[in-house]
Amino acid sequence: MKIIVPMAGRGSRLRPHTLTIPKPLIPIAGKPIVHRLVEDIAGVINQEIEEIAFIIHESFGKQVENDLIAIAEKLGSKGRIYYQNEALGTAHAIMCAKESMSGPIVVAYADTLFRADFTLDTSADSVIWVKQVEDPSAFGVVQLNENNQIVDFVEKPKEFVSDLAIIGIYYFKSGETLRSELQYLLDNNVVKGGEYQLTDGLENMKQKGMKFVPGKVDEWMDCGNKEVTVDTNSRMLRFLHEDGVDMVSASAKIENSTIIPPCFIGDDVVLVNSTVGPNVSLGRATHLMNTTIKNSLVQTHAHIKNADLDNAMIGNHAAFDGNFKAISIGDYSVLE
C-alpha cells in the first residue's frame, strides 16, 4: 500500500501562520496535521505502508522535505518528494507523483483530519471517504444505490441528492488504473475552470463499470482557516483525552499554575502563575506568565505574559504581552 499526499502551496486562508511553514506542518495537539493524517489512515487501512509520497511546491525548501521524509520513516515507510509548482488542479497534482502510482494506493489531501472506525473494502475498485453533513449544498457529495455503491458524484448540489460529503481521502485498488485515467485528462486537455479535476477521472472509471463504495467517517475536521483550525485542535485534544493519552510532558515546569484538561503541554514548556485550559495546545519551549488561556493553539518557543486569551492562535517564536483576547499572530510576531 502507498499513500499519496498532495500538499500544493502554502495556502492563504491560514496566514500569517503559513508564511514560514506550509499548513500541513502546523501542529494540532502537538503533532503536524499531515503526520496525524497519515497515522490515522494507517490505522484504518490496517496494512503495511510501503511508501508515502508528498506533493509539494518546490519553494517549501529542504527542511520541510526532510521533515516530511521523517514523518514517513516514523511510520516505517519510505518517503518520496514530488513537486507541483503550478496550481493546475487535483488530477494534475496527483499525477506529479505518477511514479508512485502502482498497486493499491490511498490519495489524501493534507488539510483535513478525521476519526473513523470502518473496515476498508479492498474488493472495491475505489473507496471514497465521506461524512454525513447537515448542509450538503456546500460540498461535493456522493449518491448511493440500494447496494451501497456510489452511482454519482455531485458538486455542491442545489437540490438535495445526498448528505454524504466527500472529505478528500480515496482508496484505489489499482494505482495504474487511476494513473491511466488521469493521464487521459492531461493528454486531452479535459479541464474545468482551467484545472484538471480528479472527479472527471472518477466519473470515467465509474462509466467503465468500476465499483465505488463509501467509507463513512465519524468525525471530519478541517484546518482551512484560523477559526476551524483552533476548533479542530480542541476536538482532537478531547478525542486524545478520551483515549487516555497523556499529553503533558514530564519536562514541563509548572509553578503556581493550573492545567484544566484536555491540554497538550509540550517539552520544556514553562508555566508561571497561569491557568491553562481547557482545549489548549502549547508547543515546545513556550513560556506563560500571569496568563489565562483556553480554546487556543500556540506553537513553539512563544512567550506570553499578562494575557487573558480565548480562541487564540499564536505562531512560533512569537511574543505577546497585553489585554487582547481573540488573536491570531504568526511566527516571530511581537505584541506588547
Side-chain angles (χ1 to χ4, degrees), residues 214-232:
K216 296 180 182 179
V217 304
D218 302 313
E219 299 284 345
W220 176 23
M221 294 163 282
D222 189 15
C223 300
N225 57 41
K226 176 254 182 180
E227 298 297 330
V228 297
T229 301
V230 170
D231 179 65
T232 289

Side-chain angles (χ1 to χ4, degrees), residues 278-294:
N279 307 320
V280 173
S281 289
L282 300 179
R284 178 169 48 89
T286 286
H287 287 216
L288 265 61
M289 180 179 290
N290 303 324
T291 287
T292 297
I293 183 171
K294 60 184 178 181

Side-chain angles (χ1 to χ4, degrees), residues 40-168:
D40 290 344
I41 291 171
V44 167
I45 64 176
N46 197 28
Q47 296 182 33
E48 181 180 352
I49 300 172
E50 171 190 347
E51 178 181 295
I52 303 175
F54 301 96
I55 302 158
I56 66 174
H57 194 281
E58 203 165 6
S59 66
F60 282 12
K62 287 301 177 184
Q63 184 56 55
V64 167
E65 294 181 21
N66 292 339
D67 291 344
L68 293 170
I69 296 297
I71 287 171
E73 290 175 348
K74 284 180 181 178
L75 288 170
S77 307
K78 175 185 176 182
R80 293 190 68 174
I81 303 296
Y82 295 95
Y83 303 111
Q84 185 194 33
N85 291 326
E86 193 174 1
L88 293 177
T90 52
H92 178 269
I94 295 166
M95 284 297 287
C96 290
K98 62 183 178 182
E99 292 177 19
S100 294
M101 295 172 68
S102 60
I105 63 171
V106 170
V107 175
Y109 295 102
D111 60 354
T112 190
L113 293 172
F114 69 94
R115 299 277 282 187
D117 183 19
F118 66 84
T119 301
L120 189 70
D121 182 359
T122 54
S123 69
D125 294 298
S126 177
V127 180
I128 298 178
W129 298 16
V130 297
K131 174 70 173 72
Q132 194 169 22
V133 295
E134 291 185 4
D135 180 16
S137 66
F139 304 97
V141 301
V142 298
Q143 194 169 11
L144 307 181
N145 64 13
E146 63 275 7
N147 296 320
N148 199 44
Q149 294 183 12
I150 296 170
V151 294
D152 203 4
F153 311 101
V154 185
E155 184 64 29
K156 298 181 179 179
K158 295 181 180 179
E159 302 292 334
F160 181 85
V161 294
S162 168
D163 59 1
L164 295 177
I166 300 170
I167 74 168

